[in-house]
Amino acid sequence: MVIKKVLILYVLALLPTWIFSQTLVDKNATKRTQRLYKNMQKMAHDSSVMFGHQDDLAYGVGWRNINGKSDVHSTLGEYPSVFGWDLGHIEVDSTRELDGILFTDLREYIKKAYKMGAISTLSWHLNNPVSGGSAWDTTMAVKHILKGGKEHEKFISWVDKVAKFALSLKSGIWGKKIPIIFRPFHEHTGKWFWWGDGNCTADEYKALWRMTVDRLRARGVDNFIYAYSPDNFKSKEHYLDFYPGDDYVDILGHDLYHRLQQPDSTEFFIKKLSNNFKIISEIAEEHKKIIAFTETGLETVSMPNWWTEVLWQGIKDYKIAYVLVWRNGRPNHYYAPYPNQTSAADFQKFSQHERVYFSKKVKDKKLYR
Ligand code: BMA
């Protein structure tokens, strides 16, 4: 009898593990990284959405580098649950990333986010390895950095710098590595980056992605969760055109901004979001992946009810692990509110939605356990 009971309890305890059985593409990923992914799967399964903000702790509208400050925190009394950061210029050994954050500070911000129980995600606006121009310099480059290409060695040395940084992200007395969502070569369906549409073929892009991930793993990076994030797309086929494969991607992402150029742009954006996430949800179901809205925003959030009436309307019907808005970089280039900003009250309302998670509620989720 007792044995039977113990057995039933054991099976019940294992059930969630079976339901959320999709493992990371990196089979050698650290325990913490695996647990984070499992917990993200659970949250998405429960239709919970975490909120992210790029460079949140580093600067905001009218301030820079003030310990503990964050525009989101000043508005809500709590931090985001996802923190976006960028590695651009690490490849050229700059002491600061492309938007001016010291890499030494970046490491501390990531530690801080981790201690909060929140998540950090890294993008990489890396320079053009052929011309030496920025990520937006579309001089043909991808074919020249693949194996056999004239800048292959140089590119590999750049990936090694990312690996070194990733491996330096440690926390606690045991110095355990901090899990990170890595989101390289994003928005490739657009034409603006050197890895974007028209600047390389689908096969070259896939080869670039695989080569990068393989190299990171070979250098011992075992704390990355990989996110693929196309910009706008027309169909399921289009979303998957450049997809490097189920063995190379953990999160199906999407980047899409709300722009107020046309009179009907708001209706258009909501509809577009809803259509796109419907397509991504189908793909996620088939490929057993989770979804994230990896970059979005309305520059200067000029619509008072943007959070509840635009963003939320576009995503509420889907299981999206997190939504991240872009950086608060300049007075005319910011995506999260600050106190008394036009959309601050609505942002507060959005933050209180039972399905929405900022730092306080996420702490209880114990994402790394
Ligand atoms: C863009 C803008 C730029 C910034 C870049 C990389 O969207 O915010 O000012 O340098 O992202 O973060």
Side-chain angles (χ1 to χ4, degrees):
M1 223 13 219
V2 176
I3 291 178
K4 208 171 155 191
K5 260 192 187 160
V6 169
L7 232 124
I8 291 171
L9 280 176
Y10 183 68
V11 168
L12 282 179
L14 281 182
L15 256 183
T17 325
W18 288 334
I19 296 170
F20 307 108
S21 61
Q22 189 56 40
T23 53
L24 286 168
V25 297
D26 182 353
K27 300 297 171 231
N28 297 321
T30 67
K31 278 260 152 17
R32 269 158 221 249
T33 312
Q34 293 178 20
R35 286 190 220 124
L36 171 61
Y37 190 59
K38 282 238 143 50
N39 285 319
M40 288 179 73
Q41 285 179 31
K42 279 188 204 166
M43 287 194 65
H45 179 84
D46 296 343
S47 299
S48 304
V49 187
M50 291 180 272
F51 178 82
H53 183 212
Q54 186 75 6
D55 289 349
D56 185 82
L57 299 170
Y59 56 80
V61 179
W63 64 273
R64 210 170 171 100
N65 215 358
I66 301 177
N67 196 17
K69 196 167 165 73
S70 137
D71 283 344
V72 168
H73 189 275
S74 308
T75 312
L76 300 179
E78 64 174 325
Y79 294 99
S81 51
V82 175
F83 292 85
W85 312 104
D86 200 89
L87 290 179
H89 295 180
I90 201 166
E91 68 280 1
V92 288
D93 295 320
S94 168
T95 51
R96 294 175 190 271
E97 54 81 275
L98 82 170
D99 295 314
I101 307 175
L102 281 168
F103 280 108
T104 45
D105 287 346
L106 188 52
R107 191 176 292 118
E108 295 310 312
Y109 294 138
I110 291 174
K111 277 190 206 166
K112 200 165 184 169
Y114 177 73
K115 282 191 190 141
M116 259 182 227
I119 304 175
S120 280
T121 169
L122 287 170
S123 47
W124 186 20
H125 286 89
L126 68 164
N127 281 355
N128 184 310
V130 168
S131 67
S134 75
W136 292 265
D137 178 334
T138 55
T139 305
M140 281 299 166
V142 178
K143 64 176 174 199
H144 299 300
I145 58 177
L146 296 177
K147 213 162 188 267
K150 60 177 180 192
E151 300 294 1
H152 176 68
E153 296 304 324
K154 180 188 189 177
F155 178 73
I156 292 295
S157 75
W158 287 9
V159 176
D160 288 356
K161 291 174 195 186
V162 171
K164 195 172 162 205
F165 185 77
L167 296 172
S168 77
L169 300 170
K170 292 179 181 164
S171 183
I173 43 166
W174 308 112
K176 295 277 188 193
K177 269 169 268 169
I178 300 174
I180 298 288
I181 297 170
F182 186 49
R183 186 173 70 93
F185 313 123
H186 63 308
E187 300 176 6
H188 68 268
T189 49
K191 296 183 180 304
W192 45 88
F193 294 128
W194 57 259
W195 56 84
D197 192 13
N199 309 320
C200 63
T201 66
D203 282 343
E204 285 165 355
Y205 181 90
K206 290 180 205 175
L208 168 66
W209 184 289
R210 293 178 191 143
M211 178 177 86
T212 305
V213 173
D214 286 342
R215 181 69 184 186
L216 289 168
R217 286 188 201 158
R219 300 305 285 182
V221 174
D222 51 8
N223 51 336
F224 273 5
I225 293 174
Y226 294 92
Y228 170 76
S229 51
D231 199 85
N232 202 7
F233 58 92
K234 297 189 201 79
S235 62
K236 197 166 170 177
E237 292 68 37
H238 190 200
Y239 185 92
L240 290 172
D241 259 355
F242 285 52
Y243 185 62
D246 284 347
D247 294 342
Y248 284 88
V249 172
D250 298 300
I251 295 177
L252 299 180
H254 186 28
D255 287 14
L256 198 71
Y257 283 82
H258 182 188
R259 292 190 169 91
L260 290 175
Q261 270 107 6
Q262 277 107 34
D264 65 346
S265 55
T266 299
E267 292 71 35
F268 181 78
F269 178 70
I270 297 174
K271 213 162 164 231
K272 189 82 212 149
L273 271 189
S274 189
N275 287 343
N276 287 2
F277 280 113
K278 186 162 184 277
I279 294 175
I280 303 173
S281 301
E282 280 171 31
I283 304 173
E285 182 86 12
E286 287 163 18
H287 294 250
K288 301 275 171 290
K289 303 289 176 189
I290 56 173
I291 305 173
F293 195 3
T294 40
E295 240 189 88
T296 187
L298 168 66
E299 198 175 50
T300 74
V301 222
S302 53
M303 292 177 66
N305 295 337
W306 189 76
W307 303 97
T308 60
E309 286 178 15
V310 181
L311 177 65
W312 187 247
Q313 296 315 314
I315 63 172
K316 68 178 180 2
D317 296 331
Y318 304 99
K319 294 181 183 302
I320 295 173
Y322 67 86
V323 49
L324 180 139
V325 298
W326 203 238
R327 64 195 203 99
N328 282 13
R330 298 182 289 275
N332 60 353
H333 182 65
Y334 64 86
Y335 295 87
Y338 50 82
N340 301 321
Q341 191 272 342
T342 319
S343 74
D346 191 57
F347 187 57
Q348 180 102 37
K349 193 171 158 199
F350 164 75
S351 76
Q352 283 159 0
H353 193 289
E354 56 170 359
R355 285 175 54 198
V356 175
Y357 282 69
F358 280 70
S359 62
K360 283 183 186 161
K361 262 170 34 184
V362 121
K363 202 171 175 57
D364 301 333
K365 287 279 171 187
K366 301 189 170 51
L367 295 178
Y368 300 96
R369 278 213 225 146

